[in-house]
Amino acid sequence: MDRLNRRKFLGGAAAAVAGASLPGTASASIPVTTSQERVVVIGSGFGGGVSALRLGQAGIKVLVLERGRWWKTGPNAETFPHATTLDKRDLFYTAWPEVNGKRIGWNPYAGLLEPFVGQGIIAVTPAGVGGGSLMYQGMTLQPSEALFKACFPSIDYAEMASVFYPRVAQMLQLQTAPDALVNSPNYQAARLFATKVQAAGYDLQKIPMPIDWNYALAELRGEMKPSYTNGDCALGVNNGGKHSVDVTYIEQAIATGNVTVSALHHVTSIARARNGSWVIKVDRTDETGTVLERKVITAKSLFLSAGTINTSKLLVRAKARGDITGLPDGVGQGYGTNADQIYVWANENEDFGPVQGGPVVFGSKEWNNPHQPANTVIQASLPPPSKSSSSTSAMPSALLPSAAAVSSTTSSTKATMLVGYGMSDSRGKFVYNWLTDKVELKWPSGGDAAVNKRIKDRLTAIAGPGAKLTNTNDLINTTWHSLGGACIGVVCDLEGRVKGQRGLYVLDGALMPGATCACNPSMTIAAIVERALDRIVQNDIGTII
């Protein structure tokens, strides 16, 4: 595969392929069932995983609904797709268009990623038990007090730093990469990045990761086939050793005996009944997206943890249609991208190594410059070409649809990936389209401009003379870190309770105010949800729940 065609990747999800179709979802033969639950949690990522565990530990029966499948893995498994080979496991079936009740496309499947195409932005959203933790690179950063207060002025940072961030760190078993690994030939690109960062006069730190690095060391010894050490782990780690939500929070939640996780359960709408209970309509599907059963579930309390995009879509649609009356005016507002930027760094005069170990080792924080937007930049491995490709390098599909192919003239040893994110005031919004009965995302032209410029300036200084930097966001503007839509202090209180809606909670990225303190969002989302659940368990059980 000389080049990975990003337009083919997106176009396949946006256009019908003649002669291929998915059985229709509208059929009189599909059974409809009803049930009642005490608590329903929609989504199984960081927000849903924390919520399920802490409620289950408190003795509350919880049903977790996850639209994606389980992705159980282990040494030498082939559970996850490979980053440079297009695979049905890449895309969630909703990426294929629906025509007359049928999904039309090539081999629809309950894959890992759904590109949500908005105005001026493509937001990549995950699917699967464990949510975004399945394929995220794993950077787990605790913000500084100043940056935290800038985003969350009403939350006590001292308590977060002493209780909740450490709790998340312990749950995810954070470790930085050992020197024995970093000094191996496979991590030449990481070492080169570190040298360049320091030469440019910037901060350099190892990044804490939810990884048992002994798995990577075992790969170097030949005891497992490569997954970490060749960078082929951006769409999930086939060897295991990654402490994702499914094998930490969700596994412990199920062990309480109070939590049930129903995978392949796609929530289509939420509403409030006249008696104040919550009504959740759900399609139970197979792995191709074919609807096997329609469920109508009634719950006393409902936790929305479906991720920023899907939580916001459910709320915006319910508000516009009147399915939930009295929702705050701020629903759908405050959307941000965390200022995500993904670059290709190429230089014919540098040697990045024949393989690039991953996922992330080093990063550089610029958090205290009063004259520039706070930001963080890291180096991420470029996975090996697929077996069917030539010796030339291509951008991994793990970063699509955000990325263009690396030039076919660039050797695989002459390029790597750079990623930046940071603080920005730019905000978009979710809006309801009455003609299509769908929720749309609108992003302002030139959004995140100031922090994007600073990230580019820093990466240019790091890459140095002779380097070619390609900002993939200039080609297709994407984000993997959607935030906002039900923001804290606007739509929800500090514990995620939706204002004026007894028993309705938002506990995921939608609660975040468009940015998370120049850090990738996972640790802050988890820590804020941990804080919220402490208070919800103490104050709401027996009354609201």
Side-chain angles (χ1 to χ4, degrees):
M1 181 171 62
D2 294 339
R3 296 168 65 93
L4 193 58
N5 189 324
R6 71 185 188 280
R7 297 194 181 278
K8 180 178 178 181
F9 185 85
L10 282 175
V17 177
S21 66
L22 177 69
T25 58
S27 171
S29 64
I30 298 175
V32 178
T33 61
T34 61
S35 61
Q36 291 185 334
E37 302 288 342
R38 183 170 180 179
V39 174
V40 167
V41 175
I42 302 175
S44 62
F46 282 100
V50 174
S51 299
L53 173 58
R54 302 311 175 198
L55 290 171
Q57 288 175 331
I60 304 301
K61 293 293 184 181
V62 179
L63 173 64
V64 178
L65 301 173
E66 168 56 54
R67 65 180 181 153
R69 49 162 283 197
W70 286 92
W71 296 82
K72 296 186 177 181
T73 187
N76 299 317
E78 285 292 329
T79 303
F80 292 106
H82 297 281
T84 50
T85 305
L86 292 176
D87 190 309
K88 72 176 184 178
R89 294 171 294 177
D90 292 339
L91 287 173
F92 193 69
Y93 60 77
T94 52
W96 301 102
E98 185 176 305
V99 179
N100 296 325
K102 296 182 178 181
R103 296 205 179 274
I104 307 297
W106 176 77
N107 210 5
Y109 188 76
L112 283 164
L113 304 171
E114 179 187 28
F116 182 61
V117 181
Q119 177 182 299
I121 193 76
I122 297 176
V124 183
T125 183
V129 178
S133 73
L134 294 172
M135 80 292 295
Y136 79 142
Q137 292 286 318
M139 290 87 73
T140 308
L141 296 174
Q142 177 178 328
S144 66
E145 181 174 8
L147 291 177
F148 184 87
K149 286 182 175 179
C151 288
F152 306 99
S154 299
I155 296 179
D156 179 19
Y157 181 79
E159 183 187 29
M160 294 293 294
S162 63
V163 178
F164 301 113
Y165 278 115
R167 184 185 296 176
V168 174
Q170 183 178 27
M171 284 293 298
L172 300 180
Q173 303 173 57
L174 299 183
Q175 300 179 38
T176 57
D179 289 341
L181 186 72
V182 178
N183 293 329
S184 70
N186 297 46
Y187 286 80
Q188 166 67 14
R191 297 195 303 275
L192 180 62
F193 172 76
T195 299
K196 295 277 191 175
V197 166
Q198 291 177 315
Y202 294 131
D203 159 89
L204 178 73
Q205 296 181 18
K206 282 187 177 180
I207 301 295
M209 304 287 282
I211 290 171
D212 181 348
W213 292 102
N214 288 315
Y215 281 69
L217 293 170
E219 290 179 15
L220 290 182
R221 295 192 298 268
E223 296 168 9
M224 301 178 193
K225 64 184 179 183
S227 183
Y228 290 106
T229 53
N230 67 349
D232 196 14
C233 52
L235 283 181
V237 181
N238 276 311
N239 277 337
K242 183 179 179 183
H243 307 302
S244 49
V245 170
D246 54 324
V247 297
T248 54
Y249 283 99
I250 292 294
E251 186 174 283
Q252 291 185 35
I254 293 171
T256 67
N258 293 317
V259 175
T260 300
V261 176
S262 292
L264 296 172
H265 277 61
H266 192 175
V267 175
T268 58
S269 68
I270 58 174
R272 185 155 204 167
R274 290 183 179 180
N275 66 1
S277 61
W278 298 99
V279 180
I280 305 106
K281 292 186 177 179
V282 188
D283 287 342
R284 180 174 68 84
T285 74
D286 64 14
E287 291 184 347
T288 71
T290 301
V291 178
L292 306 176
E293 178 185 7
R294 297 196 189 281
K295 296 185 175 184
V296 180
I297 301 172
T298 303
K300 183 178 181 181
S301 297
L302 174 59
F303 285 68
L304 298 180
S305 299
T308 294
I309 298 298
N310 291 300
T311 289
S312 297
K313 286 166 64 176
L314 288 170
L315 284 172
V316 169
R317 185 171 183 269
K319 178 178 173 64
R321 291 168 53 92
D323 295 336
I324 303 175
T325 59
L327 279 169
D329 291 338
V331 166
Q333 304 293 317
Y335 173 84
T337 68
N338 213 40
D340 278 4
Q341 297 283 283
I342 301 175
Y343 280 77
V344 179
W345 169 21
N347 193 329
E348 290 296 329
N349 298 317
E350 303 281 12
D351 183 5
F352 295 92
V355 296
Q356 297 179 19
V360 172
V361 174
F362 293 110
S364 175
K365 305 172 185 176
E366 187 178 58
W367 290 4
N368 299 311
N369 187 338
H371 306 295
Q372 297 291 347
N375 66 89
T376 301
V377 297
I378 59 97
Q379 178 266 338
S381 55
L382 192 68
S386 66
K387 293 179 181 179
S388 61
S389 68
S390 69
S391 62
T392 59
S393 176
M395 285 288 295
S397 62
L399 298 176
L400 287 173
S402 62
V406 176
S407 169
S408 60
T409 62
T410 301
S411 166
S412 61
T413 67
K414 301 300 182 182
T416 192
M417 302 298 304
L418 299 171
V419 178
Y421 38 82
M423 294 285 278
S424 173
D425 295 329
S426 297
R427 297 292 179 264
K429 61 182 179 180
F430 296 90
V431 297
Y432 179 70
N433 186 325
W434 286 93
L435 295 177
T436 61
D437 189 31
K438 295 184 182 300
V439 175
E440 299 172 351
L441 175 59
K442 298 184 182 296
W443 179 249
S445 176
D448 297 335
V451 66
N452 290 351
K453 180 180 183 304
R454 184 55 185 166
I455 289 170
K456 180 179 181 180
D457 289 346
R458 288 230 294 145
L459 293 180
T460 299
I462 291 167
K468 178 182 178 182
L469 289 175
T470 301
N471 185 353
T472 66
N473 290 73
D474 289 342
L475 303 170
I476 300 179
N477 191 34
T478 64
T479 181
W480 290 66
H481 292 155
S482 289
L483 300 166
C487 295
I488 198 166
V490 177
V491 173
C492 301
D493 70 8
L494 300 183
E495 286 75 54
R497 303 178 188 91
V498 179
K499 296 179 179 181
Q501 304 292 330
R502 183 180 178 86
L504 181 62
Y505 303 79
V506 172
L507 289 169
D508 63 6
L511 192 63
M512 306 295 107
T516 49
C517 323
C519 300
N520 55 310
S522 58
M523 192 178 200
T524 291
I525 291 172
I528 285 179
V529 177
E530 287 276 19
R531 175 192 176 278
L533 262 295
D534 268 19
R535 287 156 169 79
I536 289 167
V537 166
Q538 181 178 356
N539 300 319
D540 295 9
I541 290 178
T543 54
I544 299 174
I545 295 176

